[in-house]
Amino acid sequence: MTLLTETSLEPFIALLKAQGRHAVLDVCCGPGDDGLRFVQAGIHYTGVDPSDGNVRYAMARRLSVSVAAPTRLPFAANTFPAVWAVQSLEGLTADQADDVVRELERVAEPGAPIAVVLP
């Protein structure tokens, strides 16, 4: 897993392209700003966010998003070739953060890059 201390989307997109990965799950996607950048880069985008308002806004931007908490992602194991998670650990206890990280690993394909961007 890749841990980043600042939003480093462009290098992550470059990594996905270099590895031939064509899809990403964005956890805690907010209004979809990063989603638009993934789509513009030609990467199939799926986003989730716990806020219904964020999801409605992202959907209005024509992004594929749904309401979900980072501790309970509505996807089968080994589904995504990459995972991007911005501020998904913000305000959590150590045990809660561990639960989120385990969930990110569960939905990622084996060997998939997982970027967790810390606040």
Side-chain angles (χ1 to χ4, degrees):
M1 179 181 342
T2 304
L3 289 175
L4 305 171
T5 56
E6 60 184 74
T7 303
S8 302
L9 184 58
E10 298 310 319
F12 190 69
I13 288 173
L15 172 70
L16 299 186
K17 289 185 165 232
Q19 293 183 355
R21 298 179 187 273
H22 303 288
V24 66
L25 171 64
D26 184 358
V27 179
C28 295
C29 67
D33 294 341
D34 290 349
L36 293 175
R37 291 167 62 193
F38 279 115
V39 170
Q40 290 168 351
I43 297 170
H44 178 76
Y45 177 82
T46 303
V48 295
D49 195 275
S51 165
D52 186 58
N54 279 341
V55 168
R56 280 196 311 268
Y57 189 84
M59 289 176 74
R61 298 170 101 179
R62 305 184 79 155
L63 294 170
S64 176
V65 296
S66 59
V67 175
T71 54
R72 289 198 165 155
L73 298 173
F75 307 106
N78 306 319
T79 299
F80 293 95
V83 178
W84 175 253
V86 175
Q87 297 183 356
S88 62
L89 304 181
E90 184 175 11
L92 300 181
T93 66
D95 287 341
Q96 292 168 326
D98 286 345
D99 290 343
V100 171
V101 170
R102 275 193 292 279
E103 190 66 353
L104 300 179
E105 291 174 330
R106 182 187 69 77
V107 299
E109 293 176 351
I114 301 173
V116 177
V117 182
L118 303 174

